[in-house]
């Protein structure tokens, strides 16, 4: 083992070593986060070549379901077999899914291969953050956490831009341009493999264990049921349809079974004792609620910019750059402050308050609002998120035994993703229902049905076409859409207020530093989890 990359006695790396390792971890995270959003804008082009318009939504849903469902499994497996090996395995699976997706000859193949891609993608974000927990002391983690927040924000914005750009390229030397949505992952993923192989040296002590197959099966099935309810059955078949209610019931029953299983097996996927840790439990509740509200803005702001602002999908993605700047700036500044003071509790509180204020400002946007106003409001929203996203990860990692690092970190990511999925579904239902009401108020029942009723979000191009043919109807539709979006943001405010209350309940213990003995900074309640 090269001395250059040898960890210290506590397993932590130097600043220079951390920067090298981070380049590989961030590349892996970027891949996983990017593919949650890059495909959406290219779907019309993809289906025009492969067919299967009736299965279009499954190209996105397949990735989302598998990526979220397996996230807790990746964390547990990495605790048992070592972080580097499992992180690289996630990259390899993701790249295999990417290559196969790019080679798809029909929509069914693409859906299957996207599911494979999601299996790998589910581990990239959580394992990168868990690896940082291995090699960076909690007191110093804030210095680097902002970069991970920036990766997430950048990928959320860059995904639609790249997806639209590749879709506009009709022919390349290896096929249609949309295939590069998947092929572009290959060089980035290979670079991540090379960097982590060369620079990431983590000592791992293997322990005797038995694999919790029943727990793994039940949690994957439970999460899949919930996600199919929110992303497919509810939107396509109705939220109160028999299919939707059945999926919801199955999800709850399997969740209860999972909890029972985890309480009796020798090596649980998510040890229930972790929830006795007040910081772990309250931070995950906070993450779920913030994720719920966060995706309400991330999903619907591009639609607002395309419908009201008359921007292309690519331009609407670029228009969200101020949000990324907000995430990046506050992630970095709060991380530096955490490193200097060893304190973190104030940041999720201030962050939730900032998000609340930003949601109110966004609810004031109208048809005639200038872009500079939009930019300021979404910057404020991003700034609030930047104060919360990495802070709770650091708080959780600081409060648990390092043998649970992967499990605890993946749990934070899992609950935030689940919150986001439910948030997007709930706010989508609110937008649709309120849009139908406002369309009738603006146009009358018959004209509203002809213009698309409450489904404007699915008919952006159709609505834009009215601009030149019937300006009066067009502007009334814009007013209806703007008012509906106001309702979405206003409904999100009480949700974030609940998150603010939860943030106030998160306990704070001083962040451990490089020179602190591993257990010296933790309080007895948190250390009760140590084996």
């Amino acid at each position: 083992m090269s001395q250059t990359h040898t960890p210290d006695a506590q397993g932590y790396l130097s600043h220079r070593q951390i920067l090298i390792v981070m380049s590989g971890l961030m590349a892996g995270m970027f891949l996983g986060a990017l593919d949650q959003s890059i495909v959406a804008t290219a779907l019309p082009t993809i289906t025009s070549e492969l067919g299967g318009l009736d299965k279009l939504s499954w190209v996105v849903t397949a990735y989302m379901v598998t990526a979220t469902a397996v996230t807790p499994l990746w964390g547990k497996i990495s605790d048992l077999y070592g972080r580097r090996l499992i992180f690289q395995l996630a990259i390899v699976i993701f790249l295999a899914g990417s290559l196969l997706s790019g080679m798809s000859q029909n929509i069914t193949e693409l859906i299957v291969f996207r599911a494979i891609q999601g299996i790998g993608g589910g581990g990239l974000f959580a394992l990168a953050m868990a690896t940082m927990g291995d090699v960076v002391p909690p007191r110093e983690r804030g210095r680097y956490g902002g970069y991970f927040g920036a990766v997430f924000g950048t990928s959320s914005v860059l995904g639609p831009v790249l997806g639209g750009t590749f879709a506009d390229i009709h022919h390349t030397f290896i096929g249609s341009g949309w295939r590069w949505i998947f092929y572009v992952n290959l060089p980035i993923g290979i670079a991540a493999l090379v960097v982590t192989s060369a620079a990431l040296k983590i000592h791992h002590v293997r322990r005797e264990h038995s694999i919790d197959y029943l727990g793994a099966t039940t949690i994957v099935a439970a999460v899949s049921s919930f996600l199919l309810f929110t992303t497919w059955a509810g939107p396509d078949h109705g939220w109160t349809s028999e299919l939707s209610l059945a999926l919801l019931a199955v999800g709850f029953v399997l969740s209860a079974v999972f909890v029972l299983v985890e309480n009796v097996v020798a090596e649980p996927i998510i040890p229930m004792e972790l929830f006795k840790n007040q910081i772990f439990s309250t931070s995950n509740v906070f993450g779920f609620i913030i994720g719920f509200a966060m995706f309400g803005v991330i999903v619907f702001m591009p639609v607002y910019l395309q419908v009201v602002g008359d921007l292309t999908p690519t331009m609407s993605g670029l228009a969200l750059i101020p949000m990324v700047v907000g995430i990046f700036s506050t992630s970095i500044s709060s991380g530096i402050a955490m490193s200097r003071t060893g304190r973190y509790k104030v940041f999720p509180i201030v962050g939730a308050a900032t998000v609340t204020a930003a949601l109110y400002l966004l609810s004031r946007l109208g048809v005639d609002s200038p872009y500079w106003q939009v930019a300021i409001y979404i910057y404020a929203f991003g700034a609030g998120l930047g104060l919360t996203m990495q802070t709770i990860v650091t708080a959780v990692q600081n409060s648990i035994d390092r043998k649970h690092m992967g499990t605890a970190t993946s749990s934070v990511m899992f609950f935030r993703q689940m919150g986001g999925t439910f948030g997007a579904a709930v706010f989508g239902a609110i937008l649709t229902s309120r849009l139908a009401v406002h369309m009738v108020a603006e146009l009358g029942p018959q004209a509203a049905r002809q213009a698309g009723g409450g489904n404007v979000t699915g008919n952006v191009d159709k609505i834009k076409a009215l601009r030149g043919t019937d300006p009066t109807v067009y502007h009334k539709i814009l007013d209806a859409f703007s008012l509906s979006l106001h309702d979405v943001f206003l409904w999100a405010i009480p949700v974030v207020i609940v998150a603010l209350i939860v943030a106030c309940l998160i306990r704070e213990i001083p962040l451990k530093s490089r020179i602190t003995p591993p257990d010296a900074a933790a309080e007895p309640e948190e250390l009760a989890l140590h084996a």
Side-chain angles (χ1 to χ4, degrees), residues 342-364:
R343 300 288 178 176
Y344 54 80
K345 181 172 181 174
V346 66
F347 299 113
I349 295 173
V350 175
T354 304
V355 170
T356 302
L359 285 170
Y360 175 77
L361 293 173
L362 288 168
S363 74
R364 312 313 299 165

Short mmCIF file of all heavy atoms in Angstrom, two decimals, residues 342-364:
data_model
loop_
_atom_site.label_atom_id
_atom_site.label_comp_id
_atom_site.label_asym_id
_atom_site.label_seq_id
_atom_site.Cartn_x
_atom_site.Cartn_y
_atom_site.Cartn_z
N GLY A 342 -17.91 23.12 15.20
CA GLY A 342 -18.31 21.80 15.64
C GLY A 342 -19.80 21.69 15.90
O GLY A 342 -20.27 20.72 16.48
N ARG A 343 -20.57 22.69 15.47
CA ARG A 343 -22.02 22.74 15.71
C ARG A 343 -22.78 22.68 14.39
O ARG A 343 -22.29 23.16 13.36
CB ARG A 343 -22.40 24.01 16.47
CG ARG A 343 -21.73 24.15 17.83
CD ARG A 343 -22.32 23.17 18.82
NE ARG A 343 -21.66 23.25 20.12
CZ ARG A 343 -22.06 22.55 21.18
NH1 ARG A 343 -23.08 21.72 21.07
NH2 ARG A 343 -21.41 22.66 22.33
N TYR A 344 -23.98 22.13 14.44
CA TYR A 344 -24.73 21.97 13.19
C TYR A 344 -26.22 22.26 13.31
O TYR A 344 -26.89 22.47 12.31
CB TYR A 344 -24.56 20.54 12.66
CG TYR A 344 -24.92 19.46 13.65
CD1 TYR A 344 -26.24 19.09 13.89
CD2 TYR A 344 -23.92 18.79 14.37
CE1 TYR A 344 -26.57 18.11 14.80
CE2 TYR A 344 -24.24 17.81 15.29
CZ TYR A 344 -25.56 17.47 15.51
OH TYR A 344 -25.88 16.50 16.42
N LYS A 345 -26.76 22.28 14.51
CA LYS A 345 -28.22 22.32 14.67
C LYS A 345 -28.88 23.54 14.04
O LYS A 345 -29.99 23.47 13.50
CB LYS A 345 -28.58 22.24 16.15
CG LYS A 345 -30.09 22.24 16.40
CD LYS A 345 -30.43 21.96 17.84
CE LYS A 345 -31.94 21.94 18.04
NZ LYS A 345 -32.31 21.53 19.41
N VAL A 346 -28.20 24.69 14.10
CA VAL A 346 -28.81 25.93 13.62
C VAL A 346 -29.09 25.87 12.12
O VAL A 346 -30.04 26.51 11.63
CB VAL A 346 -27.90 27.14 13.95
CG1 VAL A 346 -26.58 27.07 13.18
CG2 VAL A 346 -28.62 28.45 13.66
N PHE A 347 -28.32 25.10 11.38
CA PHE A 347 -28.41 25.16 9.91
C PHE A 347 -29.70 24.55 9.36
O PHE A 347 -30.34 25.16 8.49
CB PHE A 347 -27.17 24.53 9.29
CG PHE A 347 -25.91 25.25 9.67
CD1 PHE A 347 -24.96 24.64 10.47
CD2 PHE A 347 -25.69 26.55 9.25
CE1 PHE A 347 -23.80 25.32 10.84
CE2 PHE A 347 -24.54 27.24 9.61
CZ PHE A 347 -23.59 26.62 10.41
N PRO A 348 -30.14 23.36 9.80
CA PRO A 348 -31.44 22.90 9.28
C PRO A 348 -32.60 23.78 9.72
O PRO A 348 -33.60 23.90 8.99
CB PRO A 348 -31.57 21.48 9.86
CG PRO A 348 -30.57 21.38 10.94
CD PRO A 348 -29.47 22.33 10.59
N ILE A 349 -32.47 24.43 10.87
CA ILE A 349 -33.53 25.34 11.31
C ILE A 349 -33.61 26.55 10.39
O ILE A 349 -34.68 26.91 9.88
CB ILE A 349 -33.29 25.79 12.77
CG1 ILE A 349 -33.40 24.58 13.71
CG2 ILE A 349 -34.28 26.88 13.18
CD1 ILE A 349 -33.02 24.89 15.15
N VAL A 350 -32.45 27.19 10.17
CA VAL A 350 -32.41 28.35 9.27
C VAL A 350 -32.78 27.93 7.85
O VAL A 350 -33.48 28.65 7.13
CB VAL A 350 -31.03 29.02 9.31
CG1 VAL A 350 -30.94 30.15 8.28
CG2 VAL A 350 -30.73 29.56 10.71
N GLY A 351 -32.33 26.75 7.44
CA GLY A 351 -32.63 26.27 6.09
C GLY A 351 -34.12 26.07 5.87
O GLY A 351 -34.67 26.49 4.85
N ALA A 352 -34.80 25.43 6.84
CA ALA A 352 -36.24 25.22 6.70
C ALA A 352 -36.99 26.55 6.69
O ALA A 352 -37.96 26.72 5.93
CB ALA A 352 -36.75 24.34 7.84
N ALA A 353 -36.53 27.51 7.51
CA ALA A 353 -37.17 28.83 7.52
C ALA A 353 -36.97 29.54 6.18
O ALA A 353 -37.90 30.19 5.67
CB ALA A 353 -36.60 29.68 8.66
N THR A 354 -35.79 29.40 5.61
CA THR A 354 -35.51 30.02 4.31
C THR A 354 -36.35 29.39 3.20
O THR A 354 -36.87 30.10 2.33
CB THR A 354 -34.00 29.90 3.97
OG1 THR A 354 -33.23 30.46 5.02
CG2 THR A 354 -33.68 30.60 2.67
N VAL A 355 -36.48 28.07 3.21
CA VAL A 355 -37.31 27.39 2.22
C VAL A 355 -38.76 27.84 2.33
O VAL A 355 -39.45 28.06 1.32
CB VAL A 355 -37.20 25.86 2.38
CG1 VAL A 355 -38.25 25.15 1.52
CG2 VAL A 355 -35.81 25.38 1.99
N THR A 356 -39.23 28.01 3.57
CA THR A 356 -40.61 28.49 3.78
C THR A 356 -40.82 29.86 3.15
O THR A 356 -41.80 30.11 2.44
CB THR A 356 -40.93 28.55 5.28
OG1 THR A 356 -40.74 27.26 5.87
CG2 THR A 356 -42.37 29.00 5.51
N ALA A 357 -39.87 30.77 3.42
CA ALA A 357 -39.97 32.11 2.84
C ALA A 357 -39.90 32.07 1.32
O ALA A 357 -40.63 32.79 0.63
CB ALA A 357 -38.85 32.99 3.41
N ALA A 358 -39.02 31.22 0.79
CA ALA A 358 -38.88 31.12 -0.67
C ALA A 358 -40.16 30.58 -1.31
O ALA A 358 -40.56 31.04 -2.39
CB ALA A 358 -37.69 30.22 -1.01
N LEU A 359 -40.80 29.62 -0.66
CA LEU A 359 -42.06 29.08 -1.20
C LEU A 359 -43.13 30.17 -1.26
O LEU A 359 -43.91 30.24 -2.22
CB LEU A 359 -42.55 27.91 -0.35
CG LEU A 359 -41.79 26.60 -0.52
CD1 LEU A 359 -42.20 25.60 0.55
CD2 LEU A 359 -42.02 26.01 -1.90
N TYR A 360 -43.18 31.01 -0.23
CA TYR A 360 -44.15 32.11 -0.26
C TYR A 360 -43.85 33.06 -1.42
O TYR A 360 -44.76 33.49 -2.15
CB TYR A 360 -44.14 32.87 1.06
CG TYR A 360 -45.03 34.10 1.02
CD1 TYR A 360 -46.41 33.97 1.12
CD2 TYR A 360 -44.49 35.37 0.84
CE1 TYR A 360 -47.24 35.09 1.05
CE2 TYR A 360 -45.31 36.49 0.77
CZ TYR A 360 -46.68 36.34 0.89
OH TYR A 360 -47.49 37.44 0.81
N LEU A 361 -42.58 33.38 -1.62
CA LEU A 361 -42.20 34.27 -2.72
C LEU A 361 -42.55 33.64 -4.07
O LEU A 361 -43.05 34.32 -4.98
CB LEU A 361 -40.70 34.58 -2.65
CG LEU A 361 -40.24 35.43 -1.45
CD1 LEU A 361 -38.73 35.53 -1.42
CD2 LEU A 361 -40.87 36.81 -1.51
N LEU A 362 -42.29 32.34 -4.20
CA LEU A 362 -42.61 31.66 -5.46
C LEU A 362 -44.12 31.65 -5.72
O LEU A 362 -44.56 31.67 -6.87
CB LEU A 362 -42.08 30.22 -5.41
CG LEU A 362 -40.56 30.06 -5.51
CD1 LEU A 362 -40.14 28.64 -5.17
CD2 LEU A 362 -40.06 30.44 -6.91
N SER A 363 -44.90 31.64 -4.65
CA SER A 363 -46.36 31.66 -4.82
C SER A 363 -46.87 33.00 -5.32
O SER A 363 -48.03 33.11 -5.70
CB SER A 363 -47.05 31.31 -3.50
OG SER A 363 -46.98 32.39 -2.59
N ARG A 364 -46.00 34.02 -5.34
CA ARG A 364 -46.40 35.34 -5.82
C ARG A 364 -46.04 35.54 -7.29
O ARG A 364 -46.36 36.59 -7.88
CB ARG A 364 -45.72 36.46 -5.01
CG ARG A 364 -45.79 36.31 -3.49
CD ARG A 364 -47.17 35.95 -3.00
NE ARG A 364 -48.15 36.97 -3.32
CZ ARG A 364 -49.46 36.80 -3.26
NH1 ARG A 364 -49.95 35.62 -2.91
NH2 ARG A 364 -50.28 37.78 -3.56
#
